[in-house]
Amino acid sequence: MSTMIGVDLAKNVFQIHAATMSGEVLFRKKLTRTQFQRFMAQQDPCVVVMEACGSAHHWAREMQKSGHEAKLIAPHYVSPFVKRHKNDAADAEAIVEAAQRPEMRFVEPKTMEQQARGVLFRARDLLVRQRTQLINSLRSQLYEFGYVAPIGPRQLTVIAEIVDDPNTDLPAIVRSASRDLLDEIAEKNGRIDALREQIQQDAALAETARRLQTIPGIGPITAMAVEAFAPPMESFRRGRDFAAWLGLVPRQHSSGGKHRLGRVSKAGQADIRRLLITGAMSRLNWMGRKTIQEGSWLAQLAARKPRKLVAVALANKMVRTIWAMMIRKEDYRDPAQAMAT
């Protein structure tokens, strides 16, 4: 393919910039959504590059259907190539210039199935945040009248008893408003449970999600998040690269041959990183510690380091395990059992 077309995506008007692989400009056009799809279907096969933003994965699939090679590039890799003023034409040109760098990294286009699983995960996550907001609002209202309600959704029965207790001196208006919030929270709980059951069913049927759940500390929600948001494992040379993509490695401030490592970078996909650290923390609580073999790497690290630091280190190891399992198509093998056999 001798032509590269950069596309600045939008809702209705698309700006395209075509150039040869050596950087010579061929043409610039501004097209509507309908015109863009018809125009690209008439073009000879070429490389089409877009920023990884809203609708980018959809248009990448559409370009592949038309015979083009679609590539997505992270927006923060494009911004250094924008010349002077920012506009659609300058953005499309910058996309081409960035994509022609030999060392540039690209985002793997997602399939419709991956995006569907992502929507399911995001819907549940949104409902959980809304439920937390409602619970915090209810607790703060009761606190204004001297009632300290316990934290967490499992304590809603205690809060309901405070609201419904006829011996409390809560005004009638406060009781009515609190009952409305309790009803809203109950509705959220029902919808969250329904989505969780759907995620568990999908995770039980998907081969990759089923395999990931054999790792201690990974449940159906984490497995579904990895399958929905993580790129193909073949795009990483080793498990450490996958851990770096997730932001579970120290941020470097090295210069002059001196290596300075700071806190974890928190780059990459935040949902997978958060769930993995949460799963690692579950292995370090009083119940999970019973499954940790004495003298193992995890036991030695937990004996001398803070729990949160150990959780991040364990999450890093889980990520590398995920990469190895998905590359080799194998289930998790407990190191302690492997050594015993």
Side-chain angles (χ1 to χ4, degrees):
M1 296 182 182
S2 60
T3 305
M4 177 177 289
I5 297 180
V7 184
D8 184 58
L9 297 175
K11 294 182 176 68
N12 299 312
V13 180
F14 294 19
Q15 180 72 42
I16 64 176
H17 179 95
T20 63
M21 289 302 181
S22 60
E24 182 182 353
V25 179
L26 297 177
F27 58 83
R28 300 183 179 92
K29 287 183 179 293
K30 182 180 289 186
L31 304 172
T32 64
R33 173 184 291 266
T34 305
Q35 292 172 340
F36 170 72
Q37 196 160 9
R38 185 168 56 247
F39 176 81
M40 294 305 300
Q42 297 171 354
Q43 295 297 306
D44 294 332
C46 60
V47 180
V48 182
V49 188
M50 299 164 280
E51 286 184 328
C53 57
S55 76
H57 294 280
H58 162 74
W59 286 115
R61 293 192 296 267
E62 292 296 320
M63 294 301 100
Q64 291 172 348
K65 291 178 183 178
S66 300
H68 303 298
E69 180 183 354
K71 292 185 176 182
L72 302 179
I73 185 171
H76 60 270
Y77 289 155
V78 176
S79 57
F81 295 90
V82 177
K83 299 173 182 176
R84 287 185 178 269
H85 303 289
K86 183 187 182 303
N87 52 58
D88 293 345
D91 289 345
E93 181 181 359
I95 291 172
V96 173
E97 292 189 11
Q100 290 184 343
R101 299 305 94 196
E103 71 281 0
M104 186 53 62
R105 301 171 183 173
F106 296 96
V107 178
E108 189 71 21
K110 295 184 183 298
T111 64
M112 293 186 67
E113 291 74 15
Q114 281 182 299
Q115 286 192 289
R117 295 188 182 101
V119 168
L120 184 63
F121 177 86
R122 297 285 190 210
R124 179 192 172 277
D125 200 46
L126 176 61
L127 290 174
V128 170
R129 292 199 304 270
Q130 290 177 344
R131 181 183 65 181
T132 302
Q133 181 184 20
L134 291 170
I135 293 174
N136 290 339
S137 176
L138 179 59
R139 293 179 63 250
S140 65
Q141 291 177 9
L142 294 178
Y143 184 64
E144 291 295 330
F145 292 89
Y147 295 94
V148 180
I151 300 175
R154 297 183 179 180
Q155 306 296 335
L156 286 174
T157 55
V158 178
I159 298 177
E161 291 176 358
I162 296 175
V163 173
D164 296 331
D165 189 357
N167 296 323
T168 60
D169 56 351
L170 290 174
I173 296 177
V174 177
R175 292 179 187 274
S176 177
S178 299
R179 290 192 185 98
D180 289 340
L181 289 177
L182 287 170
D183 293 340
E184 186 72 19
I185 293 170
E187 181 186 358
K188 299 289 184 189
N189 283 332
R191 295 166 65 183
I192 291 171
D193 292 340
L195 287 175
R196 185 179 65 250
E197 291 178 2
Q198 186 175 353
I199 291 175
Q200 291 175 344
Q201 293 174 1
D202 292 346
L205 297 176
E207 178 64 21
T208 301
R210 183 206 61 78
R211 179 176 290 117
L212 292 179
Q213 291 180 74
T214 61
I215 303 176
I218 293 184
I221 295 177
T222 305
M224 185 64 68
V226 172
E227 194 171 9
F229 301 126
M233 292 296 112
E234 292 76 12
S235 59
F236 302 107
R237 291 182 299 174
R238 51 186 177 268
R240 291 181 179 180
D241 293 345
F242 185 30
W245 181 82
L246 281 174
L248 285 170
V249 296
R251 181 181 294 276
Q252 290 196 37
H253 301 274
S254 304
S255 179
K258 296 181 179 179
H259 299 284
R260 299 183 180 90
L261 302 180
R263 299 180 179 181
V264 290
S265 64
K266 295 186 179 180
Q269 222 290 328
D271 298 296
I272 300 177
R273 182 177 63 250
R274 170 174 56 85
L275 290 170
L276 286 172
I277 293 177
T278 302
M281 290 289 289
S282 69
R283 291 207 64 199
L284 299 174
N285 60 21
W286 69 274
M287 181 66 73
R289 283 198 301 267
K290 297 179 180 179
T291 62
I292 300 176
Q293 185 179 12
E294 186 177 355
S296 63
W297 165 84
L298 184 56
Q300 294 177 8
L301 190 64
R304 66 178 190 273
K305 296 292 184 180
R307 190 171 67 162
K308 288 187 178 180
L309 189 149
V310 177
V312 174
L314 178 58
N316 183 293
K317 194 167 187 177
M318 291 164 64
V319 168
R320 288 181 279 139
T321 302
I322 290 172
W323 179 86
M325 290 171 53
M326 295 182 70
I327 288 292
R328 299 171 185 172
K329 308 296 184 183
E330 297 178 355
D331 288 352
Y332 177 77
R333 292 178 294 178
D334 191 348
Q337 295 180 358
M339 291 178 63
T341 56

